[in-house]
Amino acid sequence: MPKTPIDSDVDSPLAGRTDGATSTSARPVATKPASVARLAWLIGPALVAGVAYLDPGNVASNMTAGAQYGYLLVWVVVLGNVMAWLIQYLSAKLGIVTGESLPEVLGRRMRNRWGRRAYWLQAELVAMATDLAEVIGGAVALNLLFGVPLVWGGLITGTVSIVLLMLQSRRGPRTFEFVIMGLLVIIALGFSVGVFIAPPDPAGLAAGLVPRFEDANSVLLAASILGATIMPHAIYAHSALSRDRFVMRQGAGPTTTGAAANAAATGRPLRRLAARLVVREGTGDLDRVRGGEPGTATVLPVDRLVRATRWDVTIAMAIAGTVNLCILLLAAVNLAGVEGTDSLEGAYAALDASLGPVIATLFAVGLLASGLASTSVGAYAGAEIMQGLLHVRIPLLLRRLITLVPALAILWLGFDPTLSLVLSQVVLSFGIPFALVPLVALTARSSVLGRWRNRWATTIAGIAASAFLITLNGVLLWLVFTGA
């Protein structure tokens, strides 16, 4: 097929990157037009990021909320999922259009070295709190299923995450996505089957959609649910996942975006703000692309990629929101008023007693899949945060071991795993504004996204979500410091 100007030779898809991940001398890649069937291959990054919304912290927060307050906080789960859709879409759009992750964009724009380091520190603490929840959840699941001691269970969970990350780096994002999506299916089945066995009361479910709190502890749990639903590290990770899947066609033609003029004025290289992007379809080796003959890729307009990303995010958030709601309803129907259900172990025992060993085992298997999948995504996000903000890349194994230390220490010292999970989600809730406010501000600027910047209604919705989350956290702080 004869080449068009769009289908001319492609330079290295990651030209201009300074992280050393690829070489700018990579040979050109042949391209071919997109088909309807190939558009299905665009689905994936949001599903991987969406696993962060189904981590053990979500399980602990939603189970505790359902067991203690029944249907009271159903509205928090629904509202959190709606806000999560908007936030993840903005993150993915930033990665697609700029070709950079949110940490990379912030790291380049922050001129003050100490300010950048301070921002990195809070983001790193959030990533460690995430890792805490995921490793502890995996350890508890292994203990419930096989009687593995918690410390050893934490080590096993961390080791599996390393294997999954090695798979991502060696076999590419698509293979990594398939593995994570397989675990996502297990998570959905493990946490949803019990709701069909013991369905919720429709009247109670409808009443739970009315926003209200009962006491200070319900506010704490609401903040925990939101921290588990709208996770800062998922915001950082999604932009990076989209960047890795959709690579720039260098020299694809002139761009009409304001970022082009800005890049020319500042002397910085224009990174991927062009009319079309190449969609990589296989291994992580940028010189060998699967999905057709070796060395091929699909060329799509950015507009079409952005539209496809909306579907990707919609599917991912629909799955995550449904499963989270099922977890809360499972507890509200079967665990309300039952003693000992304030822990994952107690919830497992109560499910065994009320619904039988099959449902209890499915719950534990879902918890294990949740811990294994989400800890690998969390480690991916943590590495991206360090590289993007500090421009530092340390060996993956070393980083994985460092972030494992807090979780293993808590398990070793015998702290309550479930309480640790819930409190870790509160820490995540306080980290949300630091990721969300810059994301909304950046995606609203034509100098960053050009003609793909947010519409005014989208920006207003992002501001409203940020204000709500910041206000909730402020109320929570006031309750804590006043002893209320």
Side-chain angles (χ1 to χ4, degrees):
M1 184 177 69
K3 290 184 179 180
T4 67
I6 291 297
D7 293 328
S8 57
D9 289 342
V10 183
D11 295 333
S12 170
L14 297 183
R17 292 284 299 276
T18 58
D19 55 15
T22 61
S23 169
T24 57
S25 61
R27 66 174 175 81
V29 185
T31 59
K32 52 190 174 185
S35 65
V36 174
R38 288 188 176 278
L39 293 180
W41 283 75
L42 303 178
I43 304 298
L47 289 171
V48 175
V51 166
Y53 295 84
L54 295 171
D55 77 342
N58 289 82
V59 180
S61 297
N62 290 317
M63 290 291 288
T64 303
Q68 293 186 7
Y69 295 99
Y71 302 103
L72 178 70
L73 299 179
V74 166
W75 69 273
V76 178
V77 176
V78 175
L79 179 62
N81 202 66
V82 171
M83 291 190 294
W85 184 95
L86 172 64
I87 293 164
Q88 294 307 131
Y89 166 66
L90 295 182
S91 177
K93 184 171 69 168
L94 180 72
I96 290 172
V97 177
T98 68
E100 294 180 306
S101 66
L102 178 59
E104 283 179 321
V105 174
L106 291 173
R108 177 166 51 81
R109 297 175 72 92
M110 287 183 177
R111 300 300 184 184
N112 186 286
R113 178 184 303 176
W114 292 105
R116 188 172 69 250
R117 289 176 178 175
Y119 187 92
W120 164 80
L121 180 60
Q122 65 81 26
E124 195 68 44
L125 290 175
V126 165
M128 293 181 72
T130 302
D131 212 36
L132 175 71
E134 293 157 351
V135 173
I136 289 178
V140 170
L142 288 171
N143 179 262
L144 293 175
L145 289 170
F146 308 110
V148 177
L150 291 177
V151 175
W152 285 105
L155 285 172
I156 292 172
T157 303
T159 301
V160 172
S161 71
I162 293 175
V163 173
L164 291 177
L165 289 169
M166 291 176 63
L167 181 69
Q168 194 270 349
S169 62
R170 295 186 179 184
R171 298 291 297 173
R174 197 56 179 164
T175 302
F176 181 66
E177 287 169 8
F178 280 136
V179 174
I180 296 298
M181 283 188 279
L183 292 172
L184 184 61
V185 172
I186 297 174
I187 295 169
L189 290 175
F191 293 139
S192 302
V193 172
V195 175
F196 295 96
I197 302 299
D201 174 37
L205 180 58
L209 294 173
V210 179
R212 67 192 189 279
F213 296 109
E214 186 172 296
D215 51 29
N217 190 54
S218 64
V219 178
L220 173 66
L221 279 174
S224 180
I225 291 171
L226 288 174
T229 303
I230 306 172
M231 306 188 74
H233 84 283
I235 300 174
Y236 299 125
H238 199 167
S239 57
L241 290 165
S242 297
R243 174 204 64 195
D244 291 346
R245 275 291 306 279
F246 310 121
V247 295
M248 184 63 175
R249 279 185 56 83
Q250 302 296 325
T255 172
T256 59
T257 65
N262 182 59
T266 59
R268 293 194 302 269
L270 178 60
R271 298 188 178 190
R272 308 185 187 138
L273 270 168
R276 295 188 174 225
L277 300 184
V278 169
V279 181
R280 292 288 177 178
E281 300 175 357
T283 67
D285 184 350
L286 292 174
D287 290 333
R288 292 194 308 112
V289 183
R290 293 185 178 179
E293 63 273 23
T296 64
T298 299
V299 182
L300 291 175
V302 175
D303 285 334
R304 184 175 296 181
L305 287 174
V306 172
R307 287 196 299 271
T309 293
R310 293 194 194 106
W311 282 104
D312 190 18
V313 174
T314 299
I315 294 170
M317 293 300 101
I319 294 173
T322 300
V323 175
N324 277 318
L325 188 58
C326 285
I327 295 171
L328 187 146
L329 296 178
L330 182 67
V333 173
N334 300 282
L335 307 183
V338 179
E339 293 185 3
T341 54
D342 55 348
S343 68
L344 290 174
E345 298 89 341
Y348 172 82
L351 289 174
D352 189 11
S354 60
L355 296 179
V358 174
I359 298 301
T361 300
L362 285 174
F363 170 80
V365 170
L367 181 63
L368 177 60
S370 170
L372 295 178
S374 57
T375 192
S376 60
V377 176
Y380 173 90
E384 184 62 37
I385 289 169
M386 175 172 285
Q387 177 189 330
L389 292 170
L390 296 186
H391 312 298
V392 173
R393 181 187 291 273
I394 64 175
L396 181 61
L397 178 60
L398 177 60
R399 178 178 175 81
R400 177 76 276 194
L401 292 175
I402 292 173
T403 55
L404 273 176
V405 170
L408 295 178
I410 287 177
L411 294 174
W412 179 267
L413 295 173
F415 288 109
D416 181 8
T418 304
L419 179 60
S420 300
L421 284 174
V422 173
L423 292 179
S424 72
Q425 303 312 295
V426 176
V427 174
L428 294 181
S429 186
F430 285 107
I432 290 171
F434 294 99
L436 182 53
V437 172
L439 176 67
V440 174
L442 288 170
T443 53
R445 295 182 179 181
S446 59
S447 61
V448 178
L449 293 189
R451 66 185 180 88
W452 293 284
R453 68 186 184 277
N454 298 340
R455 297 180 179 178
W456 65 268
T458 304
T459 300
I460 290 176
I463 292 173
S466 303
F468 173 78
L469 293 168
I470 294 171
T471 301
L472 182 61
N473 289 329
V475 172
L476 179 59
L477 276 177
W478 180 80
L479 291 172
V480 170
F481 287 119
T482 59

